Amino acid sequence: MSPNPFFTGKPVPPESFIGRTSEINYAFDQIHNRSHFAIWGGPGMGKSSFLHKLASEETWQEYGLDPSQGIAVILDCQSLTPFTPGGFWREALNLLHNKLDSEPKLQAEIKAFLEKPATNDSLRQALRRLGKKGKFLVLLVDDFDAALVTNEQYTETEMETFLAQCRSLAVHAEESQYLSMIVASLQRLSELGPKLNPNASPWYNHYLFQSLKLFTTSELVQLLNIIRPPTLRGEIMNITGGHPMLVQTAGFFLYRELQPGINADIKSFAENFERDTQQIFKTIWHRCNPKEQALLMLIALLDMEGHIKEIKFKLSGIGRIFTQHERSLIKLEEQGVITSSSTEPEKFYSFTSSLMKKWVIQEILQTPEQSIRDREKEFMNLISHGQVNQVKEVVAWLGKNPEQVKSFLDWIVKVVPVFPG
């Protein structure tokens, strides 16, 4: 049986990486110039896979860079528990040391820095040694968010110092010509970290920002081309909404079900797919603040009103309501949770994935009355008192009519007609 071409629970290998062409171009423009790049995107959008693609020697050759001159290392901030600046500098030096087996003399010089407490100056001296050998470091930092929250061993003041040191090393130090730093985070860096000093440049000002978005239709076609029949590919695109982790997970389970000699089982596929995607929806939901959760609930309930005739849930001026909270909605859209479409004079929002909508509705219905009561203050900030009462009535009705809710949420019935089982 041939290897499964889809990947779950780990970064996609560089040779199987698809799409993100413009983002890769921007990243290598920055590497060529020894400049710096910040990629960001919601959970499961492929940030780690992107960094592994950038670290690949084959990718370097494709973009006209000599892999023997540049040393690319991937440092995962979440692996430093707890995160500390000293741990960060030591891990950067250690990763660099491990990549220098072909340069034993240079490797020995870097090892000497590891025998003392590591600081930003340790890495600066290491960069100087690299420069003398005609080499440079590409420091690919995953989960940079971990460096932007305090812990018991990492104070706000220490964070400010660490970020200032990173900026100095990247911009002001003479050794900056031997360094390109690329960081990945769940949110745009300007939304994270310490309060800005109005008398100084922002600590993130030296990065070129780009976000990882949902897969485009052409990227989805390329990724799912192995799935037959084409109508099944189309349904998977609709269910996942182009969310990278959802697409990989769906493809992983579908590929096994569709192998010759295997009796394809739609129930098995559905159970595996839902089980292995629950974690991402849970992560997305718990990363949302109370206002964002309330907005997602409203979007879900409004969608149900359009499909279940017994629900009479009218929000007058819904376009105005959403416009007043556009910043929160843009954030959810940028993270790949929802999409928008405009029909003058209103803007309409829907869930990227039908499974995310299902998660939100199930979250409401786990404890219907309590879920609204706990968020009543947030709802009152979004809609009128009368509309909040409407929300309560709709949620109460849903709780008493589980079969109709189940029918509405049953995404798999759309796939059955095209599933070759």
Side-chain angles (χ1 to χ4, degrees):
M1 188 177 288
S2 56
N4 198 313
F6 298 94
F7 299 87
T8 63
K10 60 176 288 185
V12 174
E15 63 272 15
S16 300
F17 191 91
I18 285 174
R20 311 304 198 190
T21 305
S22 63
E23 292 86 353
I24 293 174
N25 286 335
Y26 287 133
F28 274 98
D29 284 343
Q30 295 297 88
I31 293 172
H32 269 287
N33 296 332
R34 310 298 184 265
S35 297
H36 314 284
F37 189 68
I39 195 80
W40 58 280
M45 293 298 280
K47 298 179 291 298
S48 297
S49 298
F50 183 82
L51 295 183
H52 279 78
K53 178 68 173 177
L54 297 185
S56 163
E57 290 189 2
E58 289 74 15
T59 310
W60 278 53
Q61 291 168 346
E62 183 183 342
Y63 282 84
L65 284 169
D66 184 351
S68 68
Q69 290 184 330
I71 300 168
V73 301
I74 299 177
L75 193 166
D76 184 357
C77 288
Q78 279 195 345
S79 69
L80 306 175
T81 51
F83 178 89
T84 62
F88 179 90
W89 302 121
R90 171 165 290 280
E91 183 65 5
L93 287 167
N94 188 52
L95 292 167
L96 173 58
H97 170 268
N98 294 342
K99 279 288 190 87
L100 291 171
D101 288 341
S102 61
E103 296 274 356
K105 185 177 178 182
L106 182 56
Q107 190 177 51
E109 292 177 355
I110 303 302
K111 185 177 181 180
F113 296 128
L114 286 166
E115 292 170 353
K116 297 177 286 187
T119 65
N120 64 308
D121 191 58
S122 306
L123 186 59
R124 181 174 300 192
Q125 293 181 57
L127 290 173
R128 193 177 305 147
R129 302 293 197 283
L130 285 179
K132 288 180 179 178
K133 292 286 187 177
K135 298 179 182 295
F136 65 97
L137 173 66
V138 178
L139 184 57
L140 303 162
V141 184
D142 205 358
D143 296 311
F144 195 51
D145 314 70
L148 302 173
V149 292
T150 58
N151 60 59
E152 290 182 358
Q153 298 183 37
Y154 184 47
T155 66
E156 185 91 4
T157 300
E158 288 171 328
M159 184 194 303
E160 291 173 356
T161 301
F162 169 71
L163 295 173
Q165 289 172 343
C166 286
R167 178 170 168 77
S168 176
L169 192 62
V171 179
H172 302 298
E174 182 182 341
E175 294 79 11
S176 64
Q177 61 189 303
Y178 312 124
L179 173 69
S180 183
M181 189 167 171
I182 297 178
V183 302
S185 58
L186 285 164
Q187 293 174 253
R188 189 189 291 266
L189 296 183
S190 56
E191 298 175 1
L192 301 167
K195 186 178 180 180
L196 296 182
N197 180 348
N199 300 314
S201 295
W203 62 266
Y204 49 77
N205 222 26
H206 55 291
Y207 292 104
L208 173 69
F209 284 82
Q210 281 289 300
S211 65
L212 285 184
K213 300 180 176 66
L214 302 167
F215 279 138
T216 64
T217 301
S218 60
E219 289 170 340
L220 285 169
V221 169
Q222 187 181 358
L223 182 61
L224 294 171
N225 187 52
I226 198 168
I227 300 296
R228 296 288 188 275
T231 46
L232 182 56
R233 291 203 300 266
E235 289 302 333
I236 295 306
M237 291 180 192
N238 290 334
I239 292 164
T240 62
H243 189 288
M245 181 179 279
L246 297 185
V247 175
Q248 288 286 348
T249 304
F252 181 86
F253 289 116
L254 269 178
Y255 183 77
R256 278 287 163 252
E257 290 295 333
L258 300 178
Q259 287 300 297
I262 293 179
N263 185 21
D265 184 349
I266 185 68
K267 184 179 178 183
S268 173
F269 162 69
E271 288 175 351
N272 288 330
F273 184 43
E274 288 215 30
R275 182 196 65 224
D276 277 43
T277 53
Q278 287 297 301
Q279 43 136 350
I280 187 165
F281 300 128
K282 185 176 181 180
T283 300
I284 290 171
W285 179 255
H286 289 295
R287 281 188 56 81
C288 291
N289 61 39
K291 178 198 279 189
E292 291 163 351
Q293 290 181 351
L295 284 167
L296 290 176
M297 286 181 170
L298 281 180
I299 293 170
L301 293 171
L302 284 165
D303 187 48
M304 294 189 80
E305 189 268 338
H307 292 87
I308 299 178
K309 62 182 181 180
E310 287 83 0
I311 296 180
K312 305 299 180 186
F313 180 39
K314 298 292 183 183
L315 287 184
S316 58
I318 188 65
R320 178 177 55 79
I321 293 167
F322 283 158
T323 300
Q324 291 171 346
H325 305 282
E326 196 164 13
R327 187 172 179 180
S328 294
L329 291 162
I330 287 173
K331 180 182 172 184
L332 290 168
E333 197 166 358
E334 286 178 339
Q335 295 212 14
V337 182
I338 59 175
T339 59
S340 64
S341 59
S342 295
T343 303
E344 292 298 333
E346 296 186 349
K347 195 171 186 179
F348 296 92
Y349 293 89
S350 57
F351 285 89
T352 298
S353 163
S354 56
L355 284 176
M356 183 64 201
K357 176 172 64 180
K358 182 174 181 177
W359 168 271
V360 172
I361 293 170
Q362 288 176 331
E363 186 71 19
I364 295 172
L365 296 180
Q366 279 183 0
T367 52
E369 294 181 12
Q370 191 66 33
S371 66
I372 302 302
R373 190 181 303 119
D374 289 347
R375 296 177 177 84
E376 190 159 355
K377 182 179 178 181
E378 288 300 331
F379 278 110
M380 290 294 288
N381 289 331
L382 297 174
I383 54 181
S384 70
H385 180 74
Q387 289 168 334
V388 172
N389 287 333
Q390 271 193 299
V391 170
K392 292 178 181 177
E393 290 173 9
V394 170
V395 171
W397 185 91
L398 294 174
K400 294 173 183 175
N401 294 271
E403 286 305 312
Q404 286 185 259
V405 176
K406 181 179 181 302
S407 176
F408 170 73
L409 297 177
D410 194 5
W411 59 272
I412 204 65
V413 297
K414 299 175 183 178
V415 183
V416 170
V418 296
F419 200 82

